[in-house]
Structure formats: C-alpha cells, structure tokens
Amino acid sequence: MKKILAVILAAAVVCTSAMMLAGCGGSNAGKGDSGNADNSGNSASKGELHMATNAEFPPYEYMENKKIIGIDADIAHAICDKLGYTLVIDNMKFDAIIAAVTSGKADFGMAGMTVTEERKKEVDFTDTYAKTTQVIIVKEGSDKVKNADDLEKASIGVQMGTTGDIFVSDFKDAKIQRFGKGAEAVEALSTGKVDAVVIDSEPAKEFVKAKGGLTILSDPFVEEQYAICVKKGSKLTEEINGALKELKDDGTVDKIVKAYITD
Ligand code: GLN
C-alpha cells in the first residue's frame, strides 16, 4: 500500500514539474490536447486573444472532430497560457487573415504564414518559429513537370494568396489555377486538371499521403520562414516574442512539432 502511494506521489511530482515547464497550461502534453478553448485553468486571464487562421493546412492547422488542431494551434495555446490570455481561434480564408489583423477583428494571425516583404508593409511579424520550402507535387510518373524549370510552361494549381501563388505568378507562360484550399488544388492535380501543385512542404506531404498516386519532386525550391502576424505597432508582438523564446528554449515548440511531424 505504502509502495503504491509512493508511486502515485512520484507521478504527481513529475506531472507538476512537467506542467510548470509547459507554463502550467499542459497544452503541449500531446497532439491536439489544447483544443479550441483555453484549458489552462488560468484564473488571472487578461482576456481573450483572437487568432485568425485557415484550418485547411495540415499539420499546422486543420479540423479534427470539429476542433481546430495542429502545430500552430498548440503553439498559440502555449503562448496564451504563458501570457495569461484565453485563446479563441477564428477560422477564415487564408487571404482574409491579414485584413482581419489590420482591422483589429483578430489580435494575431497564425497560419503557416511565411514572412514576406510585401506582407511586412501591412503587418508586423514576430520572431520566426518554423522553416519550410515550397515544393512541387506532380502525378507519379509525370513527364510534363520533372523539375522547377518545367513549371514555367505548365498548368499549375495553387492556393490563392499564398507564397506559392505569388511565386508562380511570375511565370508568363504558365497557366495558373487558383483554389480556395490547398486540398482542392491537389484534387485538381489528381483529376488531371493541372500538371503540378506548388505548396509548402509539410502540407504537401500530408496531401500526398491522403491521396495516393502523387509524388513530391525532390528539387530544392524556395525556402521560407513562418511567423505570427500582428497589427503594426502593437505591443503584442513583443509579448508574443517573449513567450515564444521561452517555449523554444525549454523545448516546448520542438515537442509540439514532433507530436505532428513524425518522419
Ligand atoms: N506559407 C504560405 C504562405 O504564407 C502558405 C500558408 C497557408 O496556405 N496557410 O503564403
């Protein structure tokens, strides 16, 4: 009996210190554990922070059992837990996120969003929290698009308003088809409506896994960095940077990423 109690107590101590490391929120305990509402039990909430996202971008944000989960959702929960805010996630089209932030409808945008000079004219970005590359998805055995050069004359599917869209829009001889969701562009590729899809590497892997018959070209392509966007001049950028640094330093961000990206 004594032995059992000792084991239970030891487990409780481990749990408590693990939760302290996680900023008492426990939001990084595992994939999607954070849910959509703040679950920190933090009684001294400074109020709500609204995050604008587009939950069509696995593994960063996507719907599962009517909840928005993903790397970004979990990091956002951990940041809010640390800062004492209650997180509310607002789902919208990707190309509506910056407007939501500049108009103050949302406090920040987090959606696997690449830092670009153009976007910096409209919003501030926090420190970056992930690296990505744009990749090319084609049908297995495709001879139309074998490398990045072939894209210049191809029919390409992209998600509207993304960096993939901006990048291929420079190709004069390419035929660009823009879709509201990355998954729709991938569907168009499967059914032969486009020759290739240009999209971020991790969502590409997820879409290819889910569909079959598709492959990602190994050509190295454009490198990018993800960050959170905030209204220009807002003090929230500094606040988020402080929390983000702690979460990077104590391994929480890595742990969240590893819960979603296993290869
Ligand atoms: N990283 C790309 C961008 O910022 C795509 C983001 C997304 O589709 N959610 O444009």
Side-chain angles (χ1 to χ4, degrees), residues 54 56 93-94 158-160 178-182 184:
N54 173 241
E56 301 286 350
K93 286 187 178 156
F94 181 77
V158 291
Q159 187 186 352
M160 193 154 22
R178 297 180 174 84
F179 298 88
K181 302 173 185 179
E184 289 169 357

Side-chain angles (χ1 to χ4, degrees), residues 80-177:
C80 286
D81 282 353
K82 227 177 223 316
L83 297 176
Y85 291 107
T86 301
L87 178 69
V88 180
I89 303 180
D90 298 333
N91 196 12
M92 61 190 71
K93 286 187 178 156
F94 181 77
D95 60 0
I97 294 173
I98 288 191
V101 169
T102 55
S103 69
K105 260 193 217 141
D107 299 293
F108 66 93
M110 192 172 189
M113 187 179 280
T114 303
V115 179
T116 70
E117 290 309 312
E118 276 304 303
R119 290 174 182 162
K120 273 192 198 166
K121 289 179 193 159
E122 296 182 79
V123 285
D124 287 342
F125 279 100
T126 63
D127 296 334
T128 58
Y129 63 90
K131 273 193 199 138
T132 187
T133 50
Q134 291 296 312
V135 297
I136 305 165
I137 313 176
V138 293
K139 266 195 173 171
E140 268 169 6
S142 151
D143 47 14
K144 263 250 174 92
V145 178
K146 291 204 205 75
N147 50 46
D149 292 341
D150 291 343
L151 277 181
E152 306 215 8
K153 290 191 182 73
S155 149
I156 313 167
V158 291
Q159 187 186 352
M160 193 154 22
T162 60
T163 44
D165 180 4
I166 296 160
F167 184 76
V168 301
S169 295
D170 280 348
F171 302 150
K172 279 194 259 37
D173 297 326
K175 192 169 158 268
I176 319 295
Q177 289 193 45

Side-chain angles (χ1 to χ4, degrees), residues 119-260:
R119 290 174 182 162
K120 273 192 198 166
K121 289 179 193 159
E122 296 182 79
V123 285
D124 287 342
F125 279 100
T126 63
D127 296 334
T128 58
Y129 63 90
K131 273 193 199 138
T132 187
T133 50
Q134 291 296 312
V135 297
I136 305 165
I137 313 176
V138 293
K139 266 195 173 171
E140 268 169 6
S142 151
D143 47 14
K144 263 250 174 92
V145 178
K146 291 204 205 75
N147 50 46
D149 292 341
D150 291 343
L151 277 181
E152 306 215 8
K153 290 191 182 73
S155 149
I156 313 167
V158 291
Q159 187 186 352
M160 193 154 22
T162 60
T163 44
D165 180 4
I166 296 160
F167 184 76
V168 301
S169 295
D170 280 348
F171 302 150
K172 279 194 259 37
D173 297 326
K175 192 169 158 268
I176 319 295
Q177 289 193 45
R178 297 180 174 84
F179 298 88
K181 302 173 185 179
E184 289 169 357
V186 173
E187 183 61 35
L189 175 62
S190 277
T191 54
K193 292 194 185 99
V194 294
D195 305 322
V197 167
V198 174
I199 197 161
D200 303 38
S201 56
E202 291 305 327
K205 286 187 208 161
E206 297 278 337
F207 291 138
V208 165
K209 225 192 294 169
K211 226 50 259 135
L214 304 175
T215 186
I216 298 170
L217 295 183
S218 55
D219 239 23
F221 213 32
V222 197
E223 286 211 1
E224 302 180 342
Q225 306 252 29
Y226 292 161
I228 298 167
C229 69
V230 181
K231 195 177 186 145
K232 266 198 172 299
S234 166
K235 287 201 181 78
L236 189 58
T237 308
E238 277 316 303
E239 270 193 84
I240 292 177
N241 277 341
L244 194 56
K245 185 179 181 325
E246 286 179 35
L247 294 165
K248 281 183 191 171
D249 290 350
D250 72 7
T252 303
V253 169
D254 272 351
K255 206 164 141 194
I256 291 171
V257 170
K258 286 203 179 94
Y260 288 91

